[in-house]
Each structure stands twice: as structure tokens, then as C-alpha cells.
Amino acid sequence: MKKLFLTMLTLAVGMLASAQNIQLHYDFGRNIYTGEEDGRQKVTATLEQFKADKWGSWYYFVDFDFNRKEMKSVYTEISREFNLGKQSPFALHVEYDGGLATGVGSYQQAGLLGAAYNGHTADFSKTWSVQVLYKQFFRDANDNHAYASAQLTGVWGLNFFDKKLTFSGFIDFWRGEKANGHGCLVILSEPQLWYNFNEHFSVGTEWEFSNNFVYNTDPESSKTFFWNPTLAVKWNF
């Protein structure tokens, strides 16, 4: 559910806009990987909001992960973009990532700074954004040390069949660190496909593809690549 609403960023070029939605996802990852993803949440609620203004745009999302007994974690990302020129597709991107989780305490916080290139077709049926970012991880309560990284992000959105179907998503590449301190390439992508019954209500699916991102809970497994599909509903305000 992370950053998919960023497809709306490209609508901010030269115009004012505001939008908000809430999504509810049922996650099948725990059923597919019974050992490696033991304890993974079954339900995620996501609240997203995007607002453009004459300087650029604001965007945030909050993920609430639930299991049968409790809210397992809360994770948020909030970003600000400043347009670099009235008609320019380039923007300055500033972002904060962080959250809390039961049994863990907190996610490792990160700050990001860099440039974005946003674009769209004339009718806005296709949108895209590419971001090149410096990423700084901060030391956390779990004694994870601070380290510098970099991130490349691509975001896309496509409406077709008279706006009845929406295909959107993102892909992130960044340098992470393993438990032994060695660097690794982290890949995370979450494409979504929605059937839009009307301008407010949609039903769809999200497929999370990741490598070196999911925490593997099986000590006998060295698996790093995971596919976690969901079934979801969405309400656009």
C-alpha cells in the first residue's frame, strides 16, 4: 500500500488538486509462506492523502496492520515536492519514513532528499514519476546504526476501458544492510489493479514483489524474494 497514491503527483503540474482515499487489504502472504512469513499481518488499512498547491504538493499515507488480536504496526511516509519552475516537470522531493510495531518498538526512520521528474499524457490517462533520492537511515531504539543510502523510485498510473480499470504502482530500489552489516540491494514493487464501480468505490488487488525486504522468520530458510498478493476495496472521498 506504500506510495501508490503518488501516481497523483503528476496531476499537480500547473494545477491545484486535492484527493484522499482509504483502502482495506486482506493479505495472503502468510498463507503462501507459512514458515518464512509466520506472523505477517492478515489485514492492512491504508489512509492516503494528496494535495497540490501553487508551490508543489504534499502527500502522505499511513498503513495500519492488524492480526486477530491487535493492531500490529503503524507505518507512515510523508513527502513534500517543490516545483522547479511553473511549467517544469522537475521538482525537489523531501520525505520522511517511519513507524511503530509491537514486539519491535519502531521501524528504522529515514529521511530522503532529491529530485523528481513528473509527467502525464494530455488527457491524464497515463501518469508517471521518477525520483532519484539520497536516503539517510537513523539510529533507532533497536540499536540499528545510522547509515547513508540512495533510492531510485518509479511510479506509474494508467486508466483504461473508460476509466473502469486503473493499473497503478511503484518500484523502489535502495541500498539496505543485512544483519551482518553487509550491504544489499532492496527491491520493492506494489502494482495494483482496480475495477472502479463509480468515482468513489473500487475493488481490486495488490501484488507486493520484494527482495531483501521481508523479514524471514524461518531460521532454516535463506529465501529473500517474496510475492504477497491481496484482495482489496477502496473508497475515494
Side-chain angles (χ1 to χ4, degrees), residues 1-223:
M1 290 44 78
K2 176 182 177 288
K3 289 192 293 192
L4 291 179
F5 204 56
L6 281 174
T7 56
M8 293 297 294
L9 285 174
T10 56
L11 302 180
V13 181
M15 60 186 290
L16 300 180
S18 182
Q20 186 179 50
N21 74 51
I22 186 167
Q23 303 174 23
L24 188 65
H25 292 256
Y26 184 86
D27 193 298
F28 292 96
R30 186 174 178 175
N31 303 100
I32 298 173
Y33 308 103
T34 55
E36 293 92 345
E37 292 195 316
D38 182 41
R40 182 179 174 88
Q41 80 285 350
K42 288 182 176 292
V43 177
T44 297
T46 299
L47 176 67
E48 299 178 301
Q49 185 169 24
F50 168 85
K51 182 175 177 58
D53 53 46
K54 63 181 180 180
W55 296 288
S57 61
W58 281 101
Y59 163 77
Y60 77 86
F61 78 85
V62 185
D63 277 349
F64 304 90
D65 291 335
F66 300 89
N67 58 27
R68 292 180 179 179
K69 298 180 179 179
E70 61 185 351
M71 182 185 296
K72 184 177 179 181
S73 64
V74 179
Y75 177 81
T76 186
E77 294 186 4
I78 181 169
S79 64
R80 172 73 202 188
E81 288 201 350
F82 298 93
N83 295 332
L84 300 178
K86 190 173 182 180
Q87 302 297 327
S88 174
F90 293 97
L92 174 67
H93 184 100
V94 183
E95 182 177 329
Y96 166 81
D97 303 344
L100 299 172
T102 58
V104 178
S106 64
Y107 292 99
Q108 190 167 14
Q109 300 178 94
L112 298 90
L113 176 66
Y117 178 88
N118 303 316
H120 58 82
T121 57
D123 61 356
F124 292 95
S125 62
K126 299 179 180 66
T127 63
W128 59 86
S129 177
V130 178
Q131 301 156 17
V132 181
L133 307 168
Y134 169 80
K135 189 172 189 176
Q136 176 66 47
F137 287 94
F138 302 103
R139 184 176 179 180
D140 64 11
N142 302 314
D143 292 327
N144 291 313
H145 69 278
Y147 67 94
S149 180
Q151 180 168 305
L152 174 65
T153 294
V155 186
W156 70 89
L158 172 64
N159 292 306
F160 51 101
F161 288 143
D162 196 27
K163 299 184 180 179
K164 286 296 183 181
L165 288 177
T166 298
F167 177 60
S168 58
F170 75 92
I171 186 167
D172 285 339
F173 304 87
W174 75 88
R175 179 191 177 275
E177 286 195 357
K178 298 181 179 180
N180 59 11
H182 291 173
C184 62
L185 175 63
V186 182
I187 302 174
L188 177 64
S189 183
E190 294 181 357
Q192 290 185 342
L193 181 65
W194 297 99
Y195 179 80
N196 306 309
F197 286 90
N198 52 50
E199 63 179 331
H200 295 293
F201 182 67
S202 303
V203 174
T205 182
E206 175 183 280
W207 288 14
E208 178 189 279
F209 298 95
S210 68
N211 191 58
N212 289 320
F213 178 73
V214 172
Y215 178 71
N216 190 334
T217 58
D218 186 350
E220 298 182 357
S221 173
S222 59
K223 186 176 182 61

